[in-house]
Amino acid sequence: TEESVIFRDFTFTNWFNLFLCFPCFRSIAGAMSTFFTTNRHGYSVRFSPFNPDQFVVASSQFYGLAGGGTLYFLELTPDGCGIVEKRTHHWTDGLFDVTWSESNPEIIVSGSGDGSVQLWNTNLSSNNGPPSMVYREHKKEIYSVDWSKVPYEQLFISASWDSTVKIWDPIRNNSLSTYIGHTQLVYNAVFAAHIPNTFASVSGDGFLKIWDILCYDLPIASIKAHDGEVLTVDWCKHDSNILATGASDGLIRIWDLRNFGVPITELKGNEFAVRKVQFSPHNFSVLASVGYDFTTRIWDFKKSNEAIETIKHHSEFTYGLDWNRRRRNQLADCGWDSLVHVFKPDCLSEKI
C-alpha cells in the first residue's frame, strides 16, 4: 500500500542537534512553542477537551517500523511560550494515535502497532506506569482511535489495518461491535460531531463510508472518495452534513451528505499524500491539513481551493494535527522529525 512503501533513508539537518539537550524550549518572539521528543517520532497530537494548556503526543521509535512507543503528556507554560513535560507512559510497540476522553480529564486511549488499544488513567498510573486496561481484538496495526463527542455516548472507536472498525465501552474487556465493509486497511474512523450513533471511516480501498453504530452489517452511505488510498476524514464542527477527506493523491475533498454523489469542492496544492485533515472548531469553512510534503496547510473552502497559508516548520513527514477547542485558532502538529509545535497561523490572527 501507499503507506507501507513510503519509507526511505531518513536524515536530519545539523540544527536538530540543538534539541537533543533541550526537550523544552521557548518560541521565537512568542510565535510558536516547540517540544522535542528525543528518539521518538511523532504520529498524533491531541489537546485536552478540559484544559487549554494540556495536550498529549503519541510517538514511536524508529519511525514506527520497530521498537516501542511513548505517550508524552505536555503542558504549555503560563506565559504560553514554552512546553513542559508532565509525565510519560511507554508501550512495547509503536503508538500511532491517541484520543482524550470527553467525560474524564484523566482518561486517554491509544492505539498501537501490535493491534492493541490501551486505556491510561493518570489518576491510577504513576509516571511511566502501565495502562489501566488493554483491549486485544484487532489482528493488525491500529492507526486510529476516537472518542464519541455526544455526551451520553461513553464510547470510543478503533480502526485497524485488519480492515475492520470496532466500537468499545471503556469499562468492558470486549468490543461492542465490529464493522466489516472495507476491503483494505482502514486508516481513520471518527465519530460525527453532533449526530448520535454515527461515524465515518476511510480506507486504502478509496472509499468513504458512513455508519450507524446500531446497524453494523452495512454502512448507511458509501462513496468512492479518491482514486488513491484515503488516509484521513473529519466532520465539520458547525454543520453535521459536511465532511472532508484527504488521500494519497494529495487532494482534499469536501463532501455534503445531502448531495453525496460528488464533492462540493476539491482543495489542491499538496505535493504528496495528505496524512491528516481537521476542521476548525471556531470557523465553519476553515480546516487544516498535514502531509508527506512536510507542510501544515490552512484552508478556507468557501474562499478558495488553494491553501490560504502554507507552514513549513518540519523537515520530515508531518503526521499529527489538532485544533485547541479551548483556545481560538491555536493548532498543534507533530512529525517524524521529533518536533511538536503549538502555534496560531498568521492567516487566522484577525479572525474573531
Side-chain angles (χ1 to χ4, degrees):
T1 65
E2 180 80 18
E3 189 91 346
S4 60
V5 299
I6 55 176
F7 304 112
R8 55 182 173 79
D9 293 330
F10 300 98
T11 60
F12 291 95
T13 50
N14 291 334
W15 65 275
F16 280 158
N17 293 328
L18 171 67
F19 302 133
L20 295 176
C21 299
F22 301 99
C24 171
F25 56 95
R26 303 175 74 84
S27 60
I28 299 173
M32 181 173 68
S33 300
T34 301
F35 185 87
F36 188 69
T37 57
T38 306
N39 296 324
R40 297 293 186 275
H41 308 290
Y43 268 86
S44 178
V45 57
R46 295 283 185 109
F47 280 105
S48 166
F50 306 95
N51 186 328
D53 294 325
Q54 294 179 349
F55 56 106
V56 62
V57 174
S59 66
S60 299
Q61 287 182 292
F62 306 113
Y63 309 98
L65 294 171
T70 300
L71 286 180
Y72 291 86
F73 288 78
L74 306 175
E75 189 169 305
L76 291 166
T77 56
D79 60 7
C81 295
I83 300 173
V84 295
E85 179 185 303
K86 304 300 291 186
R87 62 193 297 148
T88 57
H89 291 280
H90 303 290
W91 188 243
T92 54
D93 211 313
L95 295 175
F96 294 144
D97 200 12
V98 63
T99 188
W100 220 293
S101 166
E102 294 288 326
S103 60
N104 187 333
E106 308 299 331
I107 299 294
I108 300 287
V109 167
S110 56
S112 72
D114 60 6
S116 69
V117 179
Q118 306 81 35
L119 185 144
W120 311 84
N121 187 328
T122 57
N123 265 341
L124 302 178
S125 299
S126 60
N127 190 36
N128 295 323
S132 300
M133 294 186 70
V134 180
Y135 312 88
R136 301 180 185 274
E137 287 189 16
H138 284 293
K139 305 304 181 184
K140 293 184 179 180
E141 292 93 329
I142 295 174
Y143 233 48
S144 169
V145 289
D146 190 46
W147 201 285
S148 174
K149 307 301 187 295
V150 178
Y152 62 82
E153 288 183 357
Q154 297 304 309
L155 305 171
F156 67 87
I157 193 170
S158 60
S160 170
W161 284 15
D162 64 9
S163 303
T164 69
V165 178
K166 293 178 181 286
I167 298 286
W168 307 81
D169 182 328
I171 65 173
R172 297 181 56 170
N173 290 321
N174 300 319
S175 64
L176 299 178
S177 51
T178 300
Y179 303 84
I180 302 172
H182 288 290
T183 59
Q184 295 185 32
L185 59 173
V186 183
Y187 284 111
N188 196 199
V190 291
F191 281 105
H194 304 293
I195 310 174
N197 302 322
T198 304
F199 70 90
S201 63
V202 292
S203 165
D205 60 16
F207 277 85
L208 162 64
K209 296 180 183 289
I210 311 298
W211 303 80
D212 182 335
I213 67 173
L214 303 178
C215 305
Y216 52 83
D217 290 338
L218 292 171
I220 58 177
S222 180
I223 193 168
K224 181 73 171 179
H226 295 261
D227 291 332
E229 295 186 304
V230 190
L231 306 181
T232 177
V233 61
D234 193 38
W235 297 80
C236 178
K237 309 305 185 291
H238 298 271
D239 187 335
S240 56
N241 293 297
I242 304 297
L243 299 95
T245 55
S248 60
D249 56 15
L251 299 175
I252 297 170
R253 287 178 173 157
I254 310 297
W255 305 88
D256 190 327
L257 293 179
R258 294 162 294 194
N259 183 21
F260 204 42
V262 294
I264 60 176
T265 191
E266 185 176 87
L267 309 181
K268 302 178 180 180
N270 293 286
E271 297 178 34
F272 301 110
V274 179
R275 180 61 186 85
K276 181 83 171 178
V277 62
Q278 192 177 89
F279 279 100
S280 167
H282 309 113
N283 302 291
F284 161 72
S285 57
V286 171
L287 59 157
S289 68
V290 293
Y292 294 157
D293 60 2
F294 310 167
T295 67
T296 300
R297 296 175 191 260
I298 312 300
W299 313 80
D300 189 331
F301 73 86
K302 286 292 187 181
K303 292 183 176 181
S304 173
N305 67 346
E306 297 181 350
I308 58 175
E309 184 175 349
T310 300
I311 301 157
K312 300 179 179 180
H313 55 203
H314 286 281
S315 64
E316 288 291 346
F317 296 148
T318 314
Y319 257 72
L321 173 73
D322 197 35
W323 294 93
N324 192 339
R325 278 186 265 168
R326 300 291 181 179
R327 185 167 289 128
R328 191 173 183 83
N329 296 330
Q330 188 175 66
L331 269 174
D333 62 24
C334 65
W336 280 7
D337 55 9
S338 301
L339 295 177
V340 183
H341 298 304
V342 178
F343 60 99
K344 290 186 178 182
D346 292 338
C347 65
L348 301 180
S349 60
E350 296 181 359
K351 285 186 177 288
I352 59 173

